[in-house]
Amino acid sequence: MAKLRMKKIELIAPLTDSKEIIELLQRRGVVELCRAEDDCLEQTNVAAVTGSFDKFRTSAIQALDMLDKYVPEKTSVADMFGGRTEIDKHDFGSRAAQLEKIMNSANEILRCGRIITDSESERQQLMIKCDTLRSWEGLDVPLNFRGTETTSAFIGTVPYQITADELEAQLPEGTCAEVVSAAKDQTNLFVLCCKDRKQECEDGLRKLMFAEFGESERCSPAELIAKLGSQCEELERKRDGAEKRIGELAESRGDLKFAADYLTMRKDKYDALNSLGFTESTFVLTGFIPEKYCESLRKEIEADHTAYIAFTDPSEDEDVPVLLENGRFSAPLEGVTAMYAMPSKGDVDPTPVMAFFYYLLFGMMLSDAGYGIIMVIGTMIALKKFRLEESMRKTLVMFRNCGISTVIWGALFGSWFGDIVQVVGKQFFDKDIGSIALWFQPLDDPIKLLLFSFGIGILHLFLGVAVAFYMSWKDGRRLDAVFDAVPIYLIILGVAPLGAGILTDVPQTLKTIGGYMLIAGVILLVLTAGRSSRNILGKLFGGLYALYNTATGWLSDILSYSRLLALGLATGSIASVINLIGTMPENKVIKLVLLIVVFIVGHTANLAINLLGAYVHTDRLQFVELFSKFYTGGGREFEPLTVNTKYLKFKEEKFND
């Protein structure tokens, strides 16, 4: 079906039904709203309401993050692939009524989180202070001690090592100094002098770069360390209590997920109200809807509401969104098309065009039947056992189909986990097992595979030219269709046997036919490529320039398909090396154990690396080589008002047409 035909929807209904109709459209997810532009209609501003929803939603999400941090949720592989939890309308409504209670739990979790953060921050500061005071534990006077009635005291440090005698020698007579502790680059000191010599002593200390210890506590360092330790223990108890409370609130995780999704839906719904136009008693809604859903949606709305609904064809100048729908074989690749660009108005959907070759090229690049079987079994189990989101389901179906192609190509090339069949037969049963390839082994005849890769590439590119021919013919430009396609076919088909003759033996008859086709194609291209020019020289130079572009461009495109050879050989070669490493010991028992370990680890890594390589390079051959022949892109993806949730989905979410 490719691109679904879009209709413009216009709906007029009583103002009192606006929220219910918007909620219905949100659950159905088949209408993309457009902002009402009629000057006769009033607009509404819901920024304050949406801001409130966004604030509460942020609190719920932060509470979930806090739970994940302190009480991680146990997850399994099934949870990873399981997708969102289904919920019906009744359950949704009853849980929405508990929103205030849920938000109280969220706020309590956030409060405990703040307690933990503040307590830990304060405890760290106290611990740093304790570490600083430990070098003063030998001081048995209060830290704020500044002397007696007849003496003055100084407590501080100098940034170097010094003894008490050395210090006293540089200070006024009668000064007493004590080294509390010393390190390589610092000495902690207690200095005592007569009250009448205070200024003189202070000046002397200043010259020695003495820095006074700025502590005002009325206790000794040891007493202060004990006091701070008690405070740290109290902060730890406070933090542990908050963590315990968060653990008790972990049972609200499901409710918090509901709240996050519910508030997202509410925000989206009120955002949608910004697109509506209003009169005193009615509201007007406009947007785009796939034609296949029109009548079903009309019946459902009119069953419960009084409304006028009209469906019309969009005008030529409207920016109509694009929604793709393909058959079971092509649909899994819609994500690949969207990753590149959605088709524009004049484009065909490239998904069914590339589907066959996508699977074929992927299989050739991976080309190991063992790896393909693993892909097929793994994806089939996931598809059968897990409740998957639609996007994940399509991705797994795509890799399942790619796995089937890989099995076929692996069997044709005789690669089953590399050469494991031959290795096991030789190493453990002393039997020489020859090639098990249904066609040939690429490592024995790489030139054959290279030429075959170029042949597949030519067919792939010809498909793109054929689609361009179809599009031009359909638009009524039939001469353009012929003159843009036929010369290309003639030139490439003519060059193919001549080029292949460089690498292998080609019958002279094919070379002769190829030569004639090449000449005919060149003449036709030179004579027709510059047809848009109005003078003879322009036509001639336009034709020559097109010939140059065809020669260089197509040569580059065809050579790109040599990656089919490179990746196919890489997969098989690495697999064979893995098998060789596993059979290096002489003792058969040790050899068997090592082979099992190396087989599992090595082939898992090889599959992962080459699976990624096959995916990336298959995409590249579609995007760069195939799409350049006919596809423009630039369309806008259909973005309906829908239940844009992370954790929950309605059981009725999928709309039945």
Side-chain angles (χ1 to χ4, degrees):
M1 295 179 68
K3 292 192 297 183
L4 287 182
R5 182 180 175 84
M6 286 287 171
K7 287 285 189 177
K8 193 75 179 289
I9 179 174
E10 184 177 9
L11 181 149
I12 304 175
L15 188 59
T16 53
D17 292 347
S18 60
K19 291 184 180 179
E20 291 184 9
I21 291 177
I22 288 295
E23 287 176 355
L24 172 63
L25 296 180
Q26 188 175 35
R27 292 197 305 273
R28 293 299 178 242
V30 296
V31 176
E32 179 182 300
L33 298 181
C34 298
R35 188 171 181 83
E37 301 293 345
D38 195 330
D39 294 336
C40 298
L41 299 174
E42 296 181 2
Q43 303 292 326
T44 184
N45 189 342
V46 294
V49 179
T50 57
S52 177
F53 287 139
D54 201 37
K55 178 183 177 181
F56 291 137
R57 174 180 171 274
T58 300
S59 296
I61 292 174
Q62 289 176 343
L64 283 170
D65 292 340
M66 197 72 68
L67 287 178
D68 291 339
K69 180 178 180 180
Y70 294 104
V71 194
E73 186 176 17
K74 294 180 180 180
T75 57
S76 62
V77 176
D79 296 325
M80 293 172 59
F81 288 96
R84 295 172 294 172
T85 303
E86 289 188 339
I87 186 172
D88 58 33
K89 287 174 59 178
H90 176 73
D91 189 22
F92 183 86
S94 61
R95 294 181 72 176
Q98 303 296 318
L99 183 64
E100 183 177 354
K101 180 181 177 182
I102 297 171
M103 293 311 301
N104 288 336
S105 297
N107 291 331
E108 176 68 7
I109 292 172
L110 294 178
R111 185 187 69 83
C112 292
R114 288 192 293 271
I115 291 174
I116 293 172
T117 302
D118 294 343
S119 299
E120 188 61 25
S121 175
E122 188 175 348
R123 192 179 74 87
Q124 290 294 334
Q125 292 177 7
L126 293 179
M127 291 177 65
I128 293 172
K129 191 172 183 178
C130 284
D131 291 340
T132 303
L133 289 169
R134 293 194 193 285
S135 62
W136 291 94
E137 280 188 293
L139 185 65
D140 55 2
V141 298
L143 287 167
N144 67 341
F145 181 71
R146 294 296 178 264
T148 63
E149 292 183 0
T150 59
T151 62
S152 292
F154 300 92
I155 301 173
T157 65
V158 292
Y160 47 82
Q161 274 191 337
I162 191 171
T163 65
D165 293 338
E166 291 171 340
L167 184 66
E168 290 174 359
Q170 302 180 61
L171 295 175
E173 188 177 350
T175 300
C176 178
E178 178 186 348
V179 175
V180 180
S181 63
K184 184 177 180 180
D185 55 356
Q186 180 176 299
T187 304
N188 296 334
L189 300 167
F190 174 75
V191 180
L192 192 67
C193 68
C194 296
K195 195 120 182 162
D196 57 356
R197 307 294 294 272
K198 177 182 178 182
Q199 187 61 48
E200 187 178 352
C201 183
E202 190 173 346
D203 293 340
L205 288 172
R206 188 179 299 112
K207 292 177 181 179
L208 295 173
M209 295 184 290
F210 179 84
E212 195 169 358
F213 190 62
E215 183 59 62
S216 60
E217 292 288 340
R218 297 181 179 180
C219 56
S220 67
E223 292 172 339
L224 182 55
I225 289 173
K227 178 181 177 182
L228 295 177
S230 298
Q231 292 179 9
C232 286
E233 291 176 359
E234 178 61 28
L235 289 170
E236 285 183 7
R237 286 192 291 271
K238 190 175 181 181
R239 181 199 63 192
D240 293 342
E243 288 185 358
K244 182 180 178 181
R245 178 58 178 155
I246 289 178
E248 294 171 353
L249 292 169
E251 61 184 16
S252 65
R253 179 182 270 113
D255 290 332
L256 290 171
K257 290 179 178 179
F258 168 81
D261 281 349
Y262 172 76
L263 292 166
T264 298
M265 289 179 57
R266 296 282 289 175
K267 179 180 179 297
D268 290 346
K269 187 185 82 170
Y270 275 86
D271 281 336
L273 294 177
N274 277 329
S275 301
L276 307 183
F278 297 92
T279 66
E280 291 184 0
S281 58
T282 64
F283 77 96
V284 178
L285 176 152
T286 59
F288 295 100
I289 178 173
E291 185 178 35
K292 62 181 293 186
Y293 299 129
C294 289
E295 291 308 316
S296 297
L297 183 65
R298 185 203 297 272
K299 291 177 182 178
E300 187 165 12
I301 293 177
E302 291 180 346
D304 297 319
H305 305 280
T306 301
Y308 164 80
I309 305 174
F311 300 105
T312 57
D313 291 326
S315 61
E316 286 295 325
D317 58 346
E318 285 190 273
D319 184 18
V320 181
V322 178
L323 178 63
L324 305 180
E325 183 176 84
N326 290 278
R328 295 176 61 185
F329 185 74
S330 304
L333 296 173
E334 290 173 354
V336 176
T337 298
M339 185 167 56
Y340 179 80
M342 297 298 283
S344 62
K345 287 183 180 180
D347 282 326
V348 299
D349 178 10
T351 308
V353 176
M354 70 173 172
F356 173 77
F357 274 97
Y358 191 97
Y359 299 134
L360 182 146
L361 297 175
F362 190 104
M364 278 192 70
M365 290 187 195
L366 196 54
S367 67
D368 187 282
Y371 295 167
I373 289 174
I374 290 176
M375 290 174 62
V376 173
I377 293 175
T379 53
M380 289 294 290
I381 291 174
L383 288 167
K384 186 173 182 180
K385 296 293 184 181
F386 301 141
R387 185 182 66 252
L388 302 169
E389 293 293 320
E390 184 64 15
S391 59
M392 177 59 74
R393 189 190 67 80
K394 285 185 176 181
T395 298
L396 290 177
V397 171
M398 182 192 79
F399 280 110
R400 182 201 64 190
N401 295 345
C402 290
I404 294 172
S405 174
T406 301
V407 172
I408 295 172
W409 284 109
L412 290 173
F413 294 152
S415 181
W416 297 79
F417 297 106
D419 58 349
I420 192 64
V421 175
Q422 292 89 336
V423 167
V424 171
K426 177 66 176 177
Q427 297 293 331
F428 296 98
F429 301 100
D430 295 323
K431 291 185 178 180
D432 288 324
I433 300 176
S435 173
I436 57 174
L438 299 181
W439 186 15
F440 73 99
Q441 288 186 307
L443 288 172
D444 295 337
D445 195 353
I447 296 300
K448 185 175 183 179
L449 180 58
L450 178 63
L451 292 175
F452 182 74
S453 299
F454 289 155
I456 290 292
I458 290 172
L459 292 177
H460 193 216
L461 297 172
F462 277 5
L463 175 63
V465 176
V467 175
F469 177 93
Y470 165 78
M471 292 169 63
S472 297
W473 190 276
K474 185 179 178 182
D475 290 342
R477 298 179 289 111
R478 298 188 175 183
L479 282 179
D480 289 340
V482 173
F483 291 147
D484 288 341
V486 173
I488 299 297
Y489 285 154
L490 291 173
I491 291 173
I492 302 304
L493 291 176
V495 169
L498 301 178
I502 300 174
L503 300 175
T504 188
D505 293 330
V506 176
Q508 185 59 43
T509 303
L510 289 180
K511 290 184 179 180
T512 302
I513 295 174
Y516 287 128
M517 293 178 68
L518 174 60
I519 294 171
V522 168
I523 293 173
L524 189 59
L525 181 64
V526 172
L527 292 178
T528 62
R531 58 187 178 276
S532 60
S533 179
R534 296 185 177 181
N535 59 74
I536 295 178
L537 288 178
K539 294 179 184 294
L540 177 61
F541 283 112
L544 293 174
Y545 182 70
L547 178 62
Y548 170 78
N549 281 340
T550 300
T552 56
W554 275 79
L555 176 63
S556 173
D557 289 345
I558 294 172
L559 288 176
S560 293
Y561 289 85
S562 61
R563 69 189 69 239
L564 297 174
L565 166 72
L567 270 72
L569 291 181
T571 304
S573 300
I574 295 173
S576 298
V577 170
I578 291 169
N579 297 334
L580 177 62
I581 293 173
T583 56
M584 291 180 68
E586 292 293 334
N587 184 285
K588 287 194 175 182
V589 175
I590 298 175
K591 183 184 297 187
L592 177 61
V593 173
L594 180 62
L595 179 60
I596 293 173
V597 174
V598 171
F599 183 90
I600 295 173
V601 176
H603 284 290
T604 299
N606 192 34
L607 172 59
I609 293 171
N610 286 285
L611 186 65
L612 177 62
Y615 173 71
V616 170
H617 288 284
T618 303
D619 285 352
R620 185 200 179 281
L621 289 176
Q622 312 305 320
F623 296 161
V624 179
E625 270 68 44
L626 178 66
F627 285 6
S628 64
K629 299 297 179 286
F630 70 94
Y631 191 57
T632 303
R636 181 172 63 83
E637 190 170 3
F638 181 60
E639 296 180 350
L641 174 65
T642 187
V643 179
N644 185 26
T645 54
K646 183 178 181 181
Y647 305 105
L648 304 172
K649 65 179 179 181
F650 285 102
K651 289 182 179 179
E652 60 178 6
E653 181 180 358
K654 188 171 181 180
F655 191 59
N656 296 319
D657 57 317

